[in-house]
């Protein structure tokens, strides 16, 4: 499944800022088994774009994010950032690159140290990298607070004194402090009220323009991802199943899993409401310690056939799709195909 | 930009942040028992600091033996009277003055040994919990070993070898108490290190040491402070116990345990000799314990809702 | 020789126990007990005498026992040639004939003209409770003396007489090489003669001495000089089996002895009252419970329960003595001891302060600077701790009242200045966990500070005090301590000065670990006087010489005596004729009788 990735994709004008190749991440469990949280993922992110990464909880998208941010050492594969190979870098060698890649975390409560003042939290990147101190640092922090829409006078407050949305702004400010090139947003809004979600997403969008940021935007919520992303990658059980430019993914959905995710979206467009099918996936997501053979989705796929259990589909353009739209499925959906009536047939023919 | 809207969410006028410690302190201030205990503690500290004042007022230096006016011809202590307000001890010394001087020893040992205990306990607990792996295995076993050592027996043996002194008392108590603190800290750190803010610090490029002391440590301080407040009276009693067993400070230094030890042969004949040093010890430990209870309640997360 | 070490160590430890007890005592004198014990009314025989204690005898073997609680036990069932009487109102420190028919003198032919041969006749009719009962013979006496040197557990007081009894040293040295089995021991005893102790005929025993010893009769009161019948050779000395099977020649016999738990005595049918001038043996049974505590014993004795009559190895708790004294409790007795306990010892070999303590003037200055009254006061007052201002306590022959060092700080300062040591710093070794020791230290510290001497405490755990400090001469020579506290008690009473001077002040032979001359005092003048006194031909001559030796030691300021402390004892109301005997450190159980309705 790695073959297509070395080729230039849609817009060859921009070099990829991030190139992930066949990354695997395994965690040992108490037994002798391992959890394959990320099991061979390859993707690229170009400068200035936003790549949405969606999937159910536990599909490995957060693990992948931490592999990219070098919070985890990958088990195998390569992560290349702006031409530098990150895997195997020592902590010391990684330090300057930390400034380039930042993360915004899901939980605005857990990701801010409750015992430290906001000014100190946002100033942390400066302190760690020894960039500025004293009044200068304070000014910078307060500038940042202003940029993300916080009252700079609240510099001395503690996280507990802020609302969830404000806290996430603190997290954003901290991530932006060092003017990174790549920001990995790990479900940055999923813990927030819907009304606040939009504010944060708008903030992120504004900041992207202002600071020329590149985002990897992780969410389990396709509607959020759709709003911010240029391209979307759908992940299932440690693997990518479909990658496509945002609108194409929605219009020409190829993978049954993607379609299932889409069908779970709340009604956003009244015109399409009645035509939407409701696809309820059978069973639970299988265990990552012992993923299904063949196509990982075949145990839950309405269109599953014997082939799906026997072989693993590669992530390639299917049907008449262009190179930017790749799908890992033997039986991709055609436009307008009704999946709700499909019945799996795993008997060998 | 929507930010301006959101700023309105927090309408509190206070710009200075209310730290969790500040909040705990406010709750503590409303705790009458804790406040009374604090006043008592302050009084005891004042008594220790101004112990020479007691000697000046009474005119009795702490080690001066008054054999004529302070002892009966048969060597029995004299009861409370106009000269000796709390009576005399078995060598005709002023019990009141010696209690005041004894407070110095109790508080000094209480604070010094607790400080050692907490410092060592925090560092080792942090290291074990945060670094994990071999470090944790070794330290956790060490903690188990130290906790399973019969403290008093070893303390007695050790003091027998080295001879009694203030520093050895502090060291012995510190050496045997750090493990409890380390265990508490380790347990806290084990869960804290999985928190996202630690990951966030790491993603910013912070090293282990910085994360341990800047990010993790402030979060374990609350239980450590609670434990420390409750540890001080334990240490004071331990010091008194060692003294009682003859392993405390060499005479003629006044200390409560030593006074109680000396008074045990006189309980039928000189009640004041055992009562007043005993009361001093009791009141001190009680005050610290009640205050410690107050601190614990103030830091209790359940009380957070009251804010 | 190992046994010689033991003697001094043991005697010293006895003294240590005395110190703790003495610490808080005060009282009358030994005669009060007799009056309070109720000699009024006619003695009533019968009943069970219950004795309560917290510990056991040292050895249930007369030829080995060396502690007063052991002597108390022997009083019931083991007799000596001479023993101390239990005369109401008497001092009871002068020996009387027990198994012997009379006290030997030159006049009655018991002592030879040269004072070196003692011929002693045993009382006919004194019998062992063997089956059949059998006369106690001179041969039994020889066997008893021989057993003191047994290799299993030699008697602790051997140095008192090792060189005095002809041939004893050689006999004892040979014995140490014998296997520790009953057979080997019996074999050595049967085949090896002890020329100094000879059975002349069945009831005549002859002791031959290397030099005259006026104190010999007094020394023969030691339990070690008890006769032993051949039956005991079946058992290992000091063994529990032997303790339960040692035949008795006293008024009682041991029915059962469970070490550290109990001893039960009942009447010995082989004993004939007419052969025993000392023991009246009013009670039928004596039951000893060794599993109570000091406080509990006192409580039971005071409540008047018939199941508690006398103390066994405990004394009244020091804290309660003042109260008992205050209400003049007639059941409390403060008896004489032959102890000098505690006393201050100067380390004459200390290199500290330019060897200041080697200078008698400095030691004299210290003696003037220490206020004895103050120390005695904090130790419980002079009634319990009457002052002792020289070597020998009153009850010892040769004791002559002198007080060479009355408290005089000015004189002390003057002497220090003369000696060139106006500002000394002295290390005071003391047992910080022992109340009396700690209090004495603090008091002396304050006294000496008034003459410009700084005293620094060297605290020692109780267990290390003798073993690691005082009994190691090199520790004294290194100057680990300059001043310390020790205590001493004579092994017997009356003519017992030798038991003070030999181990404490006789120069090199008395240095630890063999002796207890902890300060390494060595004065040719004192040594010569001691040698003369030991060999004095008559008791009177000995007394004079001992008094001279005493004065010499005091003049040299080898040590600073404090007190000849009293022994406190308490008995229950129903115990009559409770007579204190110093050697037993208790009332004599073989002479008490119980009030009729309280004979339980």
């Amino acid at each position: 499944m790695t073959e297509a990735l070395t080729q230039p994709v849609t817009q060859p004008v921009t070099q990829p800022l991030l190139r992930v190749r066949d990354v695997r991440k395994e965690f040992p469990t108490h037994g002798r088994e391992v959890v394959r949280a990320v099991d061979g993922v390859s993707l690229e992110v170009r400068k200035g774009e936003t790549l949405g990464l969606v999937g159910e909880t536990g599909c490995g998208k957060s693990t992948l994010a931490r592999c990219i941010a070098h919070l985890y050492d990958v088990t195998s594969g390569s992560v290349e950032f702006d031409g530098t190979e990150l895997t195997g870098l020592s902590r010391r060698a990684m330090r300057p690159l930390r400034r380039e890649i930042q993360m915004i975390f899901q939980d605005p409560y857990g990701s801010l140290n409750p015992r430290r003042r906001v000014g100190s939290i946002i100033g942390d990147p400066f302190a760690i990298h020894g960039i500025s101190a004293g009044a200068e640092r304070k000014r910078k922090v307060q500038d940042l607070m202003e940029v993300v829409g916080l009252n700079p006078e609240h510099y001395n407050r503690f996280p507990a004194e802020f609302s969830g949305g404000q806290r996430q702004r603190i997290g954003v400010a901290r991530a932006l402090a060092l003017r990174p090139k790549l920001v990995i947003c790990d479900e940055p809004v999923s813990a927030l009220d819907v009304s606040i979600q939009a504010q944060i997403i708008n903030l992120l969008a504004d900041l992207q323009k202002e600071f020329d940021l590149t985002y990897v935007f992780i969410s389990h919520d396709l509607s959020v991802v759709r709003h911010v992303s240029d391209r979307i990658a759908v992940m299932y059980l440690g693997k990518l199943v479909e990658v496509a430019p945002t609108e194409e993914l929605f219009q020409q959905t190829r993978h049954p899993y993607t379609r299932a995710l889409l069908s779970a979206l709340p009604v956003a467009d009244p015109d399409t409401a009645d035509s939407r099918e409701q696809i309820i996936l059978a069973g639970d997501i299988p265990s990552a310690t012992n993923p299904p053979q063949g196509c990982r989705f075949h145990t839950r796929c309405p269109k599953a056939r014997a082939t799906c259990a026997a072989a693993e589909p590669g992530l390639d353009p299917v049907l008449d799709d262009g190179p930017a739209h790749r799908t890992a499925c033997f039986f991709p959906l055609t436009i307008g195909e009704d999946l709700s009536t499909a019945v799996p047939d795993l008997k060998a023919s | 930009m929507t930010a301006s809207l959101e700023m309105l969410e927090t309408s509190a006028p206070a710009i200075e942040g209310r730290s969790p410690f500040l909040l705990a302190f406010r709750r503590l201030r409303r705790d009458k028992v804790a406040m009374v205990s604090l006043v008592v503690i302050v009084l005891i500290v004042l008594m220790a600091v101004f112990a020479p004042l007691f000697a000046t007022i009474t005119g009795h230096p702490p080690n001066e033996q008054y054999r004529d006016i302070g002892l009966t011809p048969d060597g029995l202590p004299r009861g409370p009277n106009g000269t000796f307000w709390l009576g005399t001890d078995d060598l005709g010394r002023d019990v009141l003055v010696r209690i005041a001087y004894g407070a110095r020893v109790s508080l000094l040992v209480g604070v010094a040994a607790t400080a050692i205990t907490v410092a060592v306990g925090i560092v080792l607990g942090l290291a074990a919990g945060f670094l994990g792996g071999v470090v944790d295995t070794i330290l956790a076993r060490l903690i188990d070993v130290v906790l399973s050592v019969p403290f008093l027996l070893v303390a007695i043996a050790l003091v027998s070898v080295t001879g009694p002194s203030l520093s050895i008392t502090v060291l012995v108590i510190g050496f045997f108490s750090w493990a409890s603190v380390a265990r508490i800290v380790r347990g806290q750190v084990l869960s804290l290190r999985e928190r996202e803010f630690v990951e966030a610090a790491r993603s910013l490029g912070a090293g282990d040491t910085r994360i341990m002391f800047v990010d993790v440590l402030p979060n374990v301080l609350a239980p450590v402070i609670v434990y420390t407040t409750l540890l001080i009276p334990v240490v004071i009693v331990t010091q008194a116990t060692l003294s009682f067993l003859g392993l405390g400070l060499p005479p003629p230094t006044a200390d409560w345990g030593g006074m109680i030890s000396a008074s045990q042969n006189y309980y039928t004949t000189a009640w004041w000799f055992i009562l007043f040093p005993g009361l001093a010890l009791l009141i001190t430990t009680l005050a610290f314990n009640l205050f410690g209870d107050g601190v614990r309640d103030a830091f209790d997360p359940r009380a957070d809702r009251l804010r | 020789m190992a046994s010689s070490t033991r003697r001094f160590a043991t005697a010293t430890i006895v003294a240590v126990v005395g110190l703790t007890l003495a610490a808080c005592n005060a009282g009358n004198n030994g005669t009060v007990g007799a009056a309070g014990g109720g000699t009024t009314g006619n003695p009533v025989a019968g009943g069970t005498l219950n004795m309560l204690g917290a510990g056991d005898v040292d050895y249930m073997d007369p030829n080995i026992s060396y502690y007063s609680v052991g002597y108390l036990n022997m009083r019931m069932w083991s007799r000596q040639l001479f023993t101390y009487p239990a005369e109401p109102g008497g001092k009871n420190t002068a020996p009387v004939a027990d198994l012997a028919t009379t006290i030997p003198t030159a006049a009655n032919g018991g002592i030879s003209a040269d004072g070196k041969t003692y011929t002693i006749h045993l009382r006919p009719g004194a019998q062992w409770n063997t089956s059949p009962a059998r006369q106690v013979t001179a041969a039994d006496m020889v066997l008893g003396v021989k057993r003191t040197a047994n290799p299993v557990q030699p008697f602790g007081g051997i140095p008192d007489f090792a060189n005095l009894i002809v041939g004893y040293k050689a006999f004892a040295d040979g014995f140490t090489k014998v296997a520790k089995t009953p057979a080997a021991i019996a074999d050595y005893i049967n085949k090896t003669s002890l020329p100094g102790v000879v059975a002349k005929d069945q009831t005549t025993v002859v002791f031959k001495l290397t030099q005259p010893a006026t104190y010999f009769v007094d020394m023969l009161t030691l339990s070690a000089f008890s006769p032993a019948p051949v039956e005991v050779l079946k058992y290992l000395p000091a063994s529990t089996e032997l303790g339960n099977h040692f035949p008795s020649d006293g008024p009682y016999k041991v029915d059962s002895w469970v070490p550290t738990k109990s001893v039960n005595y009942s009447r010995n049918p082989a004993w004939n009252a007419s052969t025993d001038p000392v023991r009246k043996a009013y009670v039928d049974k004596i039951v000893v419970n060794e599993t109570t505590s000091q406080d509990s014993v006192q409580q039971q004795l005071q409540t008047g329960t018939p199941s508690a009559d006398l103390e066994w190895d405990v004394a009244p708790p020091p804290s309660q003595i003042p109260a008992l004294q205050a209400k003049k409790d007639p059941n409390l007795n403060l008896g004489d001891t032959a102890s000098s306990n505690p006393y201050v010892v100067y380390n004459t070999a200390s290199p500290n302060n330019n060897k200041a303590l080697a200078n008698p003037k400095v030691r004299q200055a210290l003696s003037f600077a220490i206020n004895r009254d103050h120390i005695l006061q904090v130790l419980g007052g002079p009634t319990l701790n009457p002052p002792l201002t020289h070597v020998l306590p009153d009850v010892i022959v040769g004791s002559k009242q002198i007080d060479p060092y009355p408290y005089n700080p000015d004189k002390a300062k003057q002497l220090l200045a003369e000696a060139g040591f106006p500002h000394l710093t002295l290390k005071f070794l003391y047992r910080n966990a022992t109340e009396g020791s700690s209090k004495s230290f603090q008091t002396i510290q304050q006294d000496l500070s008034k003459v410009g001497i700084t005293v620094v405490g060297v605290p020692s755990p109780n267990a290390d005090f003798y073993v690691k400090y005082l009994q190691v001469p090199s520790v004294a020579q290194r100057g680990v301590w300059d001043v310390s506290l020790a205590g001493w008690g004579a092994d017997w009473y009356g003519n017992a000065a030798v038991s003070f001077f030999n181990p404490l002040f006789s120069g090199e032979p008395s240095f630890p670990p063999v002796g207890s001359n902890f300060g390494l005092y060595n004065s040719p003048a004192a040594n010569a006087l001691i040698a003369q006194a030991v060999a004095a031909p008559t008791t009177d001559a000995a007394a004079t010489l001992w008094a001279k030796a005493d004065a010499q030691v005091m003049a040299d300021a080898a040590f600073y005596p404090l007190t000849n402390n009293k022994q406190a004892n308490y008995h229950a109301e129903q115990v009559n004729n409770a007579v204190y005997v110093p050697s037993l450190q208790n009332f004599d159980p073989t002479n008490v009788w119980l009030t009729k309705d309280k004979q339980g």
Side-chain angles (χ1 to χ4, degrees), chain C residues 346-352 355 357-358 473 476-479 519-521:
Chain C
Y346 304 130
N347 180 3
T348 64
S350 169
N352 304 332
K355 301 193 175 181
L357 285 182
Q477 282 151 357
R478 271 191 284 130
L520 308 180
Y521 164 72

Side-chain angles (χ1 to χ4, degrees), chain B residues 83-223:
Chain B
T83 314
F84 300 100
W85 299 345
L86 298 186
T88 63
D89 72 358
D90 55 340
L91 287 172
R93 299 174 294 202
D94 192 320
V95 168
L96 171 66
V97 177
R98 287 180 70 77
I99 285 175
Y101 274 86
R104 297 183 149 193
V105 172
S106 290
L107 293 179
L108 185 67
V109 172
V111 170
T114 303
I116 291 183
T117 299
V118 170
V120 174
I122 283 181
V123 171
L124 295 186
L126 266 181
F130 190 78
L131 299 179
V134 183
V135 177
D136 185 36
T137 310
I138 292 171
L139 287 176
R141 290 295 83 76
L142 188 64
I143 289 170
D144 289 344
V145 167
V146 171
L147 284 178
S148 59
V149 166
F151 161 69
L152 214 50
L153 291 184
V154 176
I156 288 168
L158 212 65
V159 177
S160 306
V161 172
T162 59
S165 73
L166 187 64
S167 50
I168 206 74
T169 306
V170 168
L171 286 178
V172 161
I173 295 174
F175 180 79
F176 283 103
S177 312
W178 66 265
S180 313
V181 179
R183 179 176 272 187
I184 291 171
V185 171
R186 177 179 172 269
Q188 296 274 326
V189 172
L190 279 180
S191 71
L192 280 170
R193 71 168 181 190
E194 305 299 333
R195 295 275 292 272
E196 266 191 335
F197 65 79
V198 171
E199 205 165 35
R202 212 181 272 297
S203 79
L204 293 170
D208 281 346
T209 319
R210 182 181 166 87
I211 295 176
M212 264 197 274
F213 288 97
V214 176
D215 292 299
V216 177
L217 181 58
N219 287 283
V220 299
L221 280 185

Side-chain angles (χ1 to χ4, degrees), chain A residues 89-102:
Chain A
L89 277 189
S90 70
R91 196 173 279 186
R92 179 182 293 269
M94 186 62 204
R95 248 175 89 89
L97 287 163
R98 289 268 181 227
R99 302 174 57 175
E100 313 272 332
I101 308 173
Q102 284 296 317

Side-chain angles (χ1 to χ4, degrees), chain C residues 495-576:
Chain C
N495 195 341
V498 65
S499 176
F500 261 90
F501 282 95
N502 257 356
L504 295 182
F505 306 113
S506 62
E508 253 179 77
S510 62
F511 285 0
V514 177
S516 295
N517 184 352
F518 302 127
L520 308 180
Y521 164 72
N522 193 354
S523 151
N527 295 348
L529 283 168
I530 292 168
Q532 285 178 43
V534 166
T538 67
T539 304
D540 288 346
T544 311
L545 284 163
W546 286 128
K548 278 189 183 171
D550 192 329
Q552 180 64 45
V553 169
M554 288 312 295
D556 288 341
F559 80 133
Y560 182 77
L562 292 170
T563 176
N564 167 24
N565 55 294
K566 297 282 185 184
Q567 168 71 41
N569 292 103
Y570 196 87
H571 63 76
E573 183 79 40
Q574 69 268 22
V575 177
N576 300 278

Side-chain angles (χ1 to χ4, degrees), chain B residues 31-53:
Chain B
D31 184 339
K32 282 204 184 72
V33 175
M35 282 303 105
V36 170
S37 305
L38 185 63
V39 169
V40 172
I41 291 170
V42 168
L43 287 178
I44 292 164
V45 170
L46 288 178
M47 178 168 79
V49 171
F50 294 106
L53 210 58

